[in-house]
Amino acid sequence: MEIRKVQITGGLSYIVSLPKQWIRDAKIQKNDPVGLVVQPDGSLLITPKIGGESAQRTRVFEVGAATDRTYLLRLLIGAYIAGFAIIRLDSKGRMPPFILQLVREFTQMAIGQEVIGETDTSITIKDLLNPAEMPFENTIRRMHLLARGMQQDAMVAIRGHDAALADDVVARDTEVDRLHWLVARQDNLIMSDATLARRMEIPVARAAYCFQVSRIIERIADHATRTAHNALLLIDRDIEAATLDRMDEASALALQIFSWSMEAFHTGEIEKANTTLERVRDLEEMTREIDTRVLRFEAVKAIPTGQVADSIRRIGEYSGDICESVINYTVGQTA
């Protein structure tokens, strides 16, 4: 940290000199304007970015016939989440057809990504989404509704032996993933450009908090997907009515805890978050009872039924994690 003394000029204005190396790196010339942004903690952000637009960062990947498809997809998702505005794939020879197909899949998976240029040896993908048009709160609300509906339908699929509904739940997990990637991307963009937080009207700390909750919801959706996979394993198996009823009761409680945790998140009610945490113990008792019942089943039914009970318990526990995040964040903001 460089320490600079505040001086007074003309008896009216307070001034402080700026580091010469920073001026050179930012290519600031005499009489160029800079932006001053007061941060929530009282510190002052000085930035050469005053036009309201973030820098258009570009990431380039060299690809070819030997490129691993899964690895490249992970790279594309990583570049998207990292906040690169432009992603370019370059090939020394003609672009392999499987890469063209992969790019199409990626642009369908990632929100705001579109191919803006394509030649025999190069593909350029650009982010066309204005981050301010997708507020964190709205995205997280959508994720909550999707994940909740997935678990509800997965349980219906178990009772109704409905393979089509279970498959639909599995397919919906992609929608939750792409929304989580969007939250992760926006959080990274804000971390690298504090002026974006001002344009989105969200403090940097709140953005990180939203990312944390988004990640938990994505895991809850994963367990709803796991429930759907186990529903498929139980399609031709009958489970006694009493056990099914208990599983439905446990799932309903888990989803109620989930909804309560999200209410606490949106309102910042510490007391509600704390009360909701207490209900997780009730859910754990219910799932233990289901596990005891499952011990009487033959293995082909016991294993998937036990995994469903475990996923129900994990949904409740992850919801408890949201409540803990609410308490930690809210206490920190009100200190």
Side-chain angles (χ1 to χ4, degrees), residues 150-162:
M150 288 167 63
Q151 176 63 18
Q152 288 174 328
D153 286 349
M155 295 304 297
V156 171
I158 291 175
R159 185 177 285 275
H161 302 278
D162 192 334

Side-chain angles (χ1 to χ4, degrees), residues 25-89:
D25 292 343
K27 298 181 174 58
I28 296 174
Q29 304 296 321
K30 181 180 179 181
N31 295 326
D32 282 351
V34 293
L36 305 177
V37 183
V38 178
Q39 300 297 293
D41 63 356
S43 61
L44 189 65
L45 170 69
I46 302 176
T47 174
K49 303 173 184 177
I50 62 173
E53 294 297 328
S54 302
Q56 297 286 296
R57 296 193 303 152
T58 300
R59 187 70 165 88
V60 180
F61 297 114
E62 296 291 335
V63 298
T67 300
D68 182 81
R69 193 181 192 281
T70 302
Y71 177 54
L72 178 57
L73 179 59
R74 289 171 179 161
L75 291 177
L76 291 174
I77 293 172
Y80 170 76
I81 291 176
F84 286 98
I86 297 173
I87 304 171
R88 197 176 75 241
L89 305 182

